[in-house]
Amino acid sequence: MDVDFGMLMVRLALGPMLITHGWNKIFGGGGLSGTTGWFESLGLRPAWLHARVAAVAEIGAGLLVTLGLLTSLGAAAFVGLMAVAALTDHRGKGYFIFKGGVEYVVLVAMVAVGLAAVGPGDWSLDHALGLDVAGYGWAIAAAVTGIAGAALLMVTSYRPKPSST
């Protein structure tokens, strides 16, 4: 029971955090047009498409993890989203988040892989539906799938403008 409560707390920390990030991309200060401009500045092309895909992926993955439904799939999306963030927005800024570094996104991705390894706990839809999608293999699959998805996105869509210096 302690593990079930602990995994619920992990899910309630990760899932709603990512949902609000996706929500903010759509309805935050600059809305989708602001997110599109930001993605354009990061070098993601076409920025209008990536702004929408990122928002939907964040909300969807956050919901899956929050509910404990297809948890390893949600974890893979977390890894992919955080890997893209590390390679674009946090690139070249070191480790620590207070300098814009990768600390936060690495932590989120690693906790997501840990969640795929341990599973969402008994207080989840995976458990209620009898889905046993946790363990070493699922954790490795979440990490590899997330990184592969991020790599594919970067190869096909990352086109930063050359610096003028």
PDB file of all heavy atoms in Angstrom, residues 28-49:
ATOM      1  N   GLY A  28      -1.844  30.121 -22.728  1.00  0.00           N
ATOM      2  CA  GLY A  28      -1.012  31.023 -21.931  1.00  0.00           C
ATOM      3  C   GLY A  28      -0.899  32.391 -22.563  1.00  0.00           C
ATOM      4  O   GLY A  28      -1.549  32.688 -23.577  1.00  0.00           O
ATOM      5  N   GLY A  29      -0.057  33.232 -21.990  1.00  0.00           N
ATOM      6  CA  GLY A  29       0.096  34.619 -22.397  1.00  0.00           C
ATOM      7  C   GLY A  29       0.039  34.883 -23.893  1.00  0.00           C
ATOM      8  O   GLY A  29      -0.776  35.664 -24.355  1.00  0.00           O
ATOM      9  N   GLY A  30       0.870  34.230 -24.655  1.00  0.00           N
ATOM     10  CA  GLY A  30       0.903  34.478 -26.100  1.00  0.00           C
ATOM     11  C   GLY A  30       0.060  33.516 -26.909  1.00  0.00           C
ATOM     12  O   GLY A  30      -0.016  33.636 -28.134  1.00  0.00           O
ATOM     13  N   GLY A  31      -0.564  32.544 -26.227  1.00  0.00           N
ATOM     14  CA  GLY A  31      -1.369  31.551 -26.928  1.00  0.00           C
ATOM     15  C   GLY A  31      -0.533  30.751 -27.920  1.00  0.00           C
ATOM     16  O   GLY A  31       0.691  30.734 -27.856  1.00  0.00           O
ATOM     17  N   LEU A  32      -1.213  30.097 -28.829  1.00  0.00           N
ATOM     18  CA  LEU A  32      -0.507  29.283 -29.827  1.00  0.00           C
ATOM     19  C   LEU A  32       0.387  30.122 -30.726  1.00  0.00           C
ATOM     20  O   LEU A  32       1.447  29.649 -31.154  1.00  0.00           O
ATOM     21  CB  LEU A  32      -1.503  28.488 -30.676  1.00  0.00           C
ATOM     22  CG  LEU A  32      -1.889  27.127 -30.111  1.00  0.00           C
ATOM     23  CD1 LEU A  32      -2.996  26.500 -30.945  1.00  0.00           C
ATOM     24  CD2 LEU A  32      -0.703  26.195 -30.003  1.00  0.00           C
ATOM     25  N   SER A  33       0.007  31.359 -30.990  1.00  0.00           N
ATOM     26  CA  SER A  33       0.872  32.190 -31.842  1.00  0.00           C
ATOM     27  C   SER A  33       2.175  32.514 -31.120  1.00  0.00           C
ATOM     28  O   SER A  33       3.240  32.524 -31.746  1.00  0.00           O
ATOM     29  CB  SER A  33       0.156  33.460 -32.283  1.00  0.00           C
ATOM     30  OG  SER A  33      -0.154  34.275 -31.177  1.00  0.00           O
ATOM     31  N   GLY A  34       2.106  32.755 -29.822  1.00  0.00           N
ATOM     32  CA  GLY A  34       3.330  32.989 -29.057  1.00  0.00           C
ATOM     33  C   GLY A  34       4.198  31.740 -28.992  1.00  0.00           C
ATOM     34  O   GLY A  34       5.425  31.814 -29.130  1.00  0.00           O
ATOM     35  N   THR A  35       3.558  30.588 -28.785  1.00  0.00           N
ATOM     36  CA  THR A  35       4.296  29.323 -28.756  1.00  0.00           C
ATOM     37  C   THR A  35       4.918  29.060 -30.122  1.00  0.00           C
ATOM     38  O   THR A  35       6.070  28.616 -30.216  1.00  0.00           O
ATOM     39  CB  THR A  35       3.366  28.163 -28.350  1.00  0.00           C
ATOM     40  OG1 THR A  35       2.813  28.447 -27.063  1.00  0.00           O
ATOM     41  CG2 THR A  35       4.120  26.845 -28.297  1.00  0.00           C
ATOM     42  N   THR A  36       4.189  29.355 -31.183  1.00  0.00           N
ATOM     43  CA  THR A  36       4.719  29.185 -32.536  1.00  0.00           C
ATOM     44  C   THR A  36       5.958  30.052 -32.735  1.00  0.00           C
ATOM     45  O   THR A  36       6.973  29.579 -33.256  1.00  0.00           O
ATOM     46  CB  THR A  36       3.638  29.515 -33.586  1.00  0.00           C
ATOM     47  OG1 THR A  36       2.552  28.599 -33.427  1.00  0.00           O
ATOM     48  CG2 THR A  36       4.187  29.416 -35.003  1.00  0.00           C
ATOM     49  N   GLY A  37       5.903  31.304 -32.306  1.00  0.00           N
ATOM     50  CA  GLY A  37       7.060  32.188 -32.424  1.00  0.00           C
ATOM     51  C   GLY A  37       8.247  31.691 -31.624  1.00  0.00           C
ATOM     52  O   GLY A  37       9.398  31.751 -32.086  1.00  0.00           O
ATOM     53  N   TRP A  38       7.979  31.176 -30.439  1.00  0.00           N
ATOM     54  CA  TRP A  38       9.052  30.628 -29.596  1.00  0.00           C
ATOM     55  C   TRP A  38       9.677  29.411 -30.275  1.00  0.00           C
ATOM     56  O   TRP A  38      10.902  29.285 -30.348  1.00  0.00           O
ATOM     57  CB  TRP A  38       8.487  30.276 -28.217  1.00  0.00           C
ATOM     58  CG  TRP A  38       9.441  29.600 -27.295  1.00  0.00           C
ATOM     59  CD1 TRP A  38      10.744  29.936 -27.047  1.00  0.00           C
ATOM     60  CD2 TRP A  38       9.173  28.466 -26.485  1.00  0.00           C
ATOM     61  NE1 TRP A  38      11.292  29.075 -26.129  1.00  0.00           N
ATOM     62  CE2 TRP A  38      10.333  28.164 -25.760  1.00  0.00           C
ATOM     63  CE3 TRP A  38       8.049  27.674 -26.288  1.00  0.00           C
ATOM     64  CZ2 TRP A  38      10.416  27.102 -24.867  1.00  0.00           C
ATOM     65  CZ3 TRP A  38       8.134  26.634 -25.385  1.00  0.00           C
ATOM     66  CH2 TRP A  38       9.299  26.354 -24.686  1.00  0.00           C
ATOM     67  N   PHE A  39       8.841  28.500 -30.799  1.00  0.00           N
ATOM     68  CA  PHE A  39       9.354  27.316 -31.480  1.00  0.00           C
ATOM     69  C   PHE A  39      10.142  27.704 -32.727  1.00  0.00           C
ATOM     70  O   PHE A  39      11.140  27.071 -33.056  1.00  0.00           O
ATOM     71  CB  PHE A  39       8.222  26.347 -31.806  1.00  0.00           C
ATOM     72  CG  PHE A  39       7.831  25.450 -30.651  1.00  0.00           C
ATOM     73  CD1 PHE A  39       7.979  25.853 -29.340  1.00  0.00           C
ATOM     74  CD2 PHE A  39       7.311  24.203 -30.890  1.00  0.00           C
ATOM     75  CE1 PHE A  39       7.630  25.021 -28.280  1.00  0.00           C
ATOM     76  CE2 PHE A  39       6.957  23.353 -29.854  1.00  0.00           C
ATOM     77  CZ  PHE A  39       7.116  23.770 -28.546  1.00  0.00           C
ATOM     78  N   GLU A  40       9.682  28.728 -33.430  1.00  0.00           N
ATOM     79  CA  GLU A  40      10.416  29.242 -34.588  1.00  0.00           C
ATOM     80  C   GLU A  40      11.812  29.686 -34.154  1.00  0.00           C
ATOM     81  O   GLU A  40      12.807  29.372 -34.806  1.00  0.00           O
ATOM     82  CB  GLU A  40       9.650  30.410 -35.216  1.00  0.00           C
ATOM     83  CG  GLU A  40      10.317  31.024 -36.420  1.00  0.00           C
ATOM     84  CD  GLU A  40      10.154  30.218 -37.695  1.00  0.00           C
ATOM     85  OE1 GLU A  40       9.180  29.455 -37.814  1.00  0.00           O
ATOM     86  OE2 GLU A  40      11.028  30.354 -38.568  1.00  0.00           O
ATOM     87  N   SER A  41      11.892  30.408 -33.027  1.00  0.00           N
ATOM     88  CA  SER A  41      13.186  30.892 -32.544  1.00  0.00           C
ATOM     89  C   SER A  41      14.092  29.746 -32.097  1.00  0.00           C
ATOM     90  O   SER A  41      15.314  29.866 -32.130  1.00  0.00           O
ATOM     91  CB  SER A  41      13.001  31.891 -31.400  1.00  0.00           C
ATOM     92  OG  SER A  41      12.638  31.243 -30.191  1.00  0.00           O
ATOM     93  N   LEU A  42      13.484  28.624 -31.692  1.00  0.00           N
ATOM     94  CA  LEU A  42      14.269  27.449 -31.295  1.00  0.00           C
ATOM     95  C   LEU A  42      14.781  26.668 -32.503  1.00  0.00           C
ATOM     96  O   LEU A  42      15.666  25.827 -32.365  1.00  0.00           O
ATOM     97  CB  LEU A  42      13.427  26.514 -30.419  1.00  0.00           C
ATOM     98  CG  LEU A  42      13.031  27.025 -29.042  1.00  0.00           C
ATOM     99  CD1 LEU A  42      12.097  26.039 -28.361  1.00  0.00           C
ATOM    100  CD2 LEU A  42      14.255  27.309 -28.190  1.00  0.00           C
ATOM    101  N   GLY A  43      14.191  26.910 -33.676  1.00  0.00           N
ATOM    102  CA  GLY A  43      14.619  26.228 -34.883  1.00  0.00           C
ATOM    103  C   GLY A  43      13.768  25.036 -35.270  1.00  0.00           C
ATOM    104  O   GLY A  43      14.176  24.221 -36.106  1.00  0.00           O
ATOM    105  N   LEU A  44      12.595  24.908 -34.667  1.00  0.00           N
ATOM    106  CA  LEU A  44      11.695  23.803 -35.027  1.00  0.00           C
ATOM    107  C   LEU A  44      10.819  24.224 -36.199  1.00  0.00           C
ATOM    108  O   LEU A  44      10.107  25.210 -36.124  1.00  0.00           O
ATOM    109  CB  LEU A  44      10.843  23.409 -33.818  1.00  0.00           C
ATOM    110  CG  LEU A  44      11.629  22.805 -32.663  1.00  0.00           C
ATOM    111  CD1 LEU A  44      10.759  22.675 -31.427  1.00  0.00           C
ATOM    112  CD2 LEU A  44      12.211  21.459 -33.065  1.00  0.00           C
ATOM    113  N   ARG A  45      10.909  23.474 -37.298  1.00  0.00           N
ATOM    114  CA  ARG A  45      10.184  23.821 -38.525  1.00  0.00           C
ATOM    115  C   ARG A  45       9.281  22.663 -38.958  1.00  0.00           C
ATOM    116  O   ARG A  45       9.740  21.524 -38.935  1.00  0.00           O
ATOM    117  CB  ARG A  45      11.170  24.124 -39.661  1.00  0.00           C
ATOM    118  CG  ARG A  45      12.297  25.070 -39.291  1.00  0.00           C
ATOM    119  CD  ARG A  45      11.892  26.535 -39.434  1.00  0.00           C
ATOM    120  NE  ARG A  45      13.047  27.405 -39.297  1.00  0.00           N
ATOM    121  CZ  ARG A  45      13.396  27.984 -38.158  1.00  0.00           C
ATOM    122  NH1 ARG A  45      12.705  27.825 -37.080  1.00  0.00           N
ATOM    123  NH2 ARG A  45      14.452  28.779 -38.110  1.00  0.00           N
ATOM    124  N   PRO A  46       8.055  22.893 -39.352  1.00  0.00           N
ATOM    125  CA  PRO A  46       7.342  24.161 -39.281  1.00  0.00           C
ATOM    126  C   PRO A  46       6.880  24.417 -37.845  1.00  0.00           C
ATOM    127  O   PRO A  46       6.270  23.544 -37.205  1.00  0.00           O
ATOM    128  CB  PRO A  46       6.165  23.986 -40.234  1.00  0.00           C
ATOM    129  CG  PRO A  46       5.911  22.513 -40.265  1.00  0.00           C
ATOM    130  CD  PRO A  46       7.251  21.855 -40.023  1.00  0.00           C
ATOM    131  N   ALA A  47       7.155  25.594 -37.362  1.00  0.00           N
ATOM    132  CA  ALA A  47       6.901  25.939 -35.965  1.00  0.00           C
ATOM    133  C   ALA A  47       5.425  25.853 -35.604  1.00  0.00           C
ATOM    134  O   ALA A  47       5.082  25.400 -34.501  1.00  0.00           O
ATOM    135  CB  ALA A  47       7.446  27.329 -35.671  1.00  0.00           C
ATOM    136  N   TRP A  48       4.541  26.252 -36.519  1.00  0.00           N
ATOM    137  CA  TRP A  48       3.102  26.216 -36.221  1.00  0.00           C
ATOM    138  C   TRP A  48       2.649  24.784 -35.924  1.00  0.00           C
ATOM    139  O   TRP A  48       1.817  24.562 -35.046  1.00  0.00           O
ATOM    140  CB  TRP A  48       2.273  26.822 -37.365  1.00  0.00           C
ATOM    141  CG  TRP A  48       2.324  26.020 -38.642  1.00  0.00           C
ATOM    142  CD1 TRP A  48       3.186  26.176 -39.680  1.00  0.00           C
ATOM    143  CD2 TRP A  48       1.493  24.913 -38.981  1.00  0.00           C
ATOM    144  NE1 TRP A  48       2.946  25.245 -40.657  1.00  0.00           N
ATOM    145  CE2 TRP A  48       1.906  24.445 -40.256  1.00  0.00           C
ATOM    146  CE3 TRP A  48       0.434  24.267 -38.341  1.00  0.00           C
ATOM    147  CZ2 TRP A  48       1.303  23.363 -40.881  1.00  0.00           C
ATOM    148  CZ3 TRP A  48      -0.159  23.185 -38.982  1.00  0.00           C
ATOM    149  CH2 TRP A  48       0.275  22.748 -40.242  1.00  0.00           C
ATOM    150  N   LEU A  49       3.210  23.823 -36.642  1.00  0.00           N
ATOM    151  CA  LEU A  49       2.845  22.423 -36.443  1.00  0.00           C
ATOM    152  C   LEU A  49       3.420  21.899 -35.125  1.00  0.00           C
ATOM    153  O   LEU A  49       2.722  21.256 -34.348  1.00  0.00           O
ATOM    154  CB  LEU A  49       3.343  21.574 -37.619  1.00  0.00           C
ATOM    155  CG  LEU A  49       3.116  20.068 -37.497  1.00  0.00           C
ATOM    156  CD1 LEU A  49       1.623  19.757 -37.430  1.00  0.00           C
ATOM    157  CD2 LEU A  49       3.774  19.343 -38.655  1.00  0.00           C
TER     158      LEU A  49
END
